[in-house]
Amino acid sequence: MKKVLFLFFISATMASAQQMDRNKRQVVSFIEDNQKELIAISDEIWSLAETAFNEQGSSKILADYAEKNGFKVERGLAGMPTAFTATFGSGKPVIGILGEFDALPGISQKAQPTKEALVEGAAGHGCGHNLFGTASLAAAIAVKNLMEEGKLNGTVRFYGTPAEEKFFGKIWMVRDGLWDDVDVNLSWHPGANTEADVQSTLALVDFKVEFFGQAAHASHDPWNGRSASDALELYTTGINYYREHIKPTVRVHYHIQDGGQVVNVVPDYAKLWVRVRDSKRSGVMPVYKRIKEMAEGAAIMANVDYKISLISGIYEVLVNRKGGEVMQNNLELLGEISYTEEEEAFGKKIQLATEKPQVGMDSKVLPLRETKENPGGGSTDVGDVSWNVANINLRVTTAPIDTPWHSWAVVACGGMSIGHKGMLYAAKALGMTAVDLFQSESLVAAIKQEFIERKGEEVYTPNIPDGPPPIESNK
Ligand SMILES: [Zn+2]
């Protein structure tokens, strides 16, 4: 009798484990069975290489594919023609999956390990967003299939988010409340290693400073001139002196966009784009205030007028470790990505060309790391989403170890099998993690509880000017 009961217990637990595994296995098979089509979509977006707010073709490819797969697609959201959502199912939980698709200007590159533009002077996918958008949508479709077959209940929503590389499109989507009904959000990013990403990013603010003077002949009557570029130089000198007195976590960048046109005219106009970063938004704001005040000092010295305009600002990513553990478990189930000899050789050639040690690809799945207090590195508008909904993040290898990011080398890998493998892997991991969320109410509750605790008293305020996003400024 005891033995029979014991056997019954074993088979019952195995059945429930198998049930869970079956759904995840179906996600994996769906991605593998459709890899040709997914790679074609990713490659098409890679070839288009459209920059921030100009992603009409890329956005349409993904939105059309979602529609073809039975999703309800809403286009042109939050004042951005290329922003869209694709929703399937109804009721709780609502699980979001983020996708990006914009490229970077001036880094066009062929899918080869030596530097050569595909189209001279054109943009390139130097951050792998062709892979990002495609993998995330593939995961959403895999989940939708399970819903259609009655194996999962709830709502899955893919977010087509424009202009991550410039302007940060997600902020306007957040401001319009597009994540308000979402329980947990999933995101990933291409990288040089594979891990459940539990590190934050840097908060930042972008603003434009303009100086207005009086033009005059630079030699005939310079006393009649008031130089906007003098103000610009005095301003950047002030910023550079200030660097000694800012905290080590702060970064200040500026890009001179207009410093006058010709040498024999006292310039009456000058413009620069300034960016302040810190590990937290609360650290960014006082530095932003101080650097804005310096513009007045520079304007007084050069006897010109000035104007400051906020472009946009993003939050640091709010980490969710509980969600990271779920993702980690799925990465361990998937195991590491395996590379062919040709792919390892391609990786080493990239490393040779970028003067890095020729060590090839990082295939292993990293263990879940401690969350650092000061993460350093880059910034992302996923930060703003993560202050509005619990967010789980993933990083997957799509380029060799130490590849210079935002460079031709990343573009090269994103258009060939190294990038494709990372994309398919990410799609599986995101889909499997979504399966876990749909299958466990208590897991979703625990992830949401951690989000509430980490957010604390902070009241999220989107750091953008009133009105529509600056679509026209990047045409
Ligand atoms: Zn990116």
Side-chain angles (χ1 to χ4, degrees):
M1 184 66 186
K2 251 186 185 164
K3 198 177 170 189
V4 171
L5 263 179
F6 180 67
L7 280 174
F8 173 75
F9 176 73
I10 292 277
S11 65
T13 46
M14 276 176 73
S16 72
Q18 267 171 4
Q19 182 57 42
M20 188 183 84
D21 283 348
R22 220 178 356 246
N23 283 345
K24 288 188 185 178
R25 270 208 307 274
Q26 190 173 325
V27 166
V28 170
S29 332
F30 171 78
I31 303 299
E32 281 170 4
D33 295 347
N34 291 277
Q35 55 178 289
K36 242 177 114 180
E37 196 170 8
L38 297 172
I39 288 169
I41 289 171
S42 169
D43 282 354
E44 214 181 326
I45 297 171
W46 182 85
S47 303
L48 282 171
E50 296 168 310
T51 58
F53 290 143
N54 299 310
E55 319 98 330
Q56 283 81 3
S58 310
S59 166
K60 188 178 184 320
I61 290 166
L62 294 173
D64 287 353
Y65 191 59
E67 215 159 50
K68 196 183 102 186
N69 278 279
F71 282 73
K72 181 175 170 267
V73 175
E74 291 180 78
R75 303 177 196 235
L77 298 172
M80 296 175 284
T82 52
F84 71 97
T85 56
T87 307
F88 188 89
S90 61
K92 289 280 186 183
V94 183
I95 305 300
I97 309 181
L98 296 184
E100 296 174 3
F101 36 72
D102 63 327
L104 287 154
I107 52 168
S108 173
Q109 166 67 28
K110 292 182 178 171
Q112 65 180 42
T114 49
K115 189 170 183 278
E116 189 185 347
L118 181 68
V119 182
E120 207 55 60
H125 271 287
C127 208
H129 293 181
N130 58 308
L131 309 168
F132 188 161
T134 311
S136 296
L137 179 55
I141 296 170
V143 167
K144 179 227 61 164
N145 293 340
L146 289 164
M147 287 178 165
E148 264 180 337
E149 294 166 24
K151 293 170 182 167
L152 299 176
N153 292 313
T155 308
V156 62
R157 186 180 302 133
F158 172 82
Y159 287 84
T161 69
E164 195 279 333
E165 297 292 2
K166 199 177 179 182
F167 306 112
F168 314 116
K170 292 181 196 69
I171 314 173
W172 287 274
M173 296 175 80
V174 169
R175 189 179 69 180
D176 271 20
L178 296 182
W179 279 270
D180 284 0
D181 64 340
V182 177
D183 293 290
V184 180
N185 190 75
L186 300 174
S187 187
W188 78 286
H189 202 283
N193 64 302
T194 300
E195 62 178 323
D197 187 0
V198 286
Q199 304 306 326
S200 187
T201 54
L202 300 183
L204 67 77
V205 63
D206 278 344
F207 56 103
K208 193 169 61 182
V209 181
E210 292 166 286
F211 294 104
F212 307 90
Q214 168 63 54
H217 192 294
S219 182
H220 173 71
D221 63 340
W223 44 86
N224 283 328
R226 292 181 291 116
S227 171
S229 76
D230 285 1
L232 184 146
E233 288 194 55
L234 291 162
Y235 182 54
T236 56
T237 302
I239 290 174
N240 291 325
Y241 270 95
Y242 180 43
R243 282 186 204 280
E244 192 175 349
H245 309 286
I246 55 181
K247 291 190 175 154
T249 50
V250 176
R251 294 279 181 279
V252 183
H253 327 280
Y254 55 79
H255 168 220
I256 296 170
Q257 297 187 300
D258 192 339
Q261 304 300 321
V262 282
V263 75
N264 59 351
V265 173
V266 173
D268 65 352
Y269 181 72
K271 178 166 89 168
L272 69 169
W273 180 310
V274 187
R275 170 171 291 183
V276 177
R277 303 195 210 223
D278 198 359
S279 47
K280 293 197 165 46
R281 176 182 152 115
S282 53
V284 166
M285 297 316 269
V287 179
Y288 170 45
K289 181 172 177 283
R290 178 76 200 281
I291 290 182
K292 280 198 293 186
E293 286 163 359
M294 286 179 189
E296 188 181 356
I300 291 170
M301 282 190 279
N303 190 24
V304 299
D305 297 316
Y306 76 101
K307 186 183 168 197
I308 295 168
S309 324
L310 170 67
I311 300 167
S312 56
I314 51 178
Y315 275 73
E316 72 276 14
V317 162
L318 198 61
V319 165
N320 194 292
R321 288 198 66 91
K322 183 74 205 163
E325 285 167 18
V326 181
M327 180 64 78
Q328 178 69 23
N329 181 42
N330 287 314
L331 299 188
E332 280 163 18
L333 286 173
L334 279 172
E336 57 180 51
I337 302 175
S338 61
Y339 294 102
T340 63
E341 270 176 42
E342 290 77 21
E343 286 159 350
E344 287 287 352
F346 189 100
K348 286 175 184 169
K349 278 184 193 156
I350 290 266
Q351 287 157 341
L352 177 69
T354 54
E355 297 176 6
K356 300 288 176 185
Q358 290 173 64
V359 288
M361 305 300 301
D362 186 352
S363 60
K364 67 183 177 296
V365 173
L366 285 181
L368 198 68
R369 293 192 282 170
E370 287 296 314
T371 301
K372 294 184 210 138
E373 188 57 34
N374 294 310
S379 309
T380 167
D381 57 5
V382 176
D384 286 62
V385 176
S386 75
W387 280 87
N388 286 274
V389 58
N391 182 64
I392 305 176
N393 210 13
L394 162 70
R395 182 171 300 277
V396 177
T397 306
T398 62
I401 294 167
D402 246 355
T403 305
W405 215 252
H406 283 192
S407 81
W408 68 268
V410 173
V411 186
C413 297
M416 51 78 71
S417 60
I418 290 174
H420 300 153
K421 277 189 177 172
M423 172 192 70
L424 299 169
Y425 187 95
K428 293 173 191 171
L430 292 167
M432 289 164 74
T433 303
V435 165
D436 283 321
L437 299 172
F438 280 107
Q439 288 180 163
S440 172
E441 232 172 275
S442 60
L443 179 62
V444 169
I447 290 169
K448 288 173 83 165
Q449 184 55 35
E450 180 177 336
F451 164 72
I452 290 164
E453 282 162 18
R454 283 187 188 264
K455 188 177 175 190
E457 298 297 304
E458 176 96 22
V459 178
Y460 172 81
T461 321
N463 208 359
I464 42 176
D466 293 336
I471 307 287
E472 294 307 318
S473 64
N474 210 39
K475 284 274 179 274

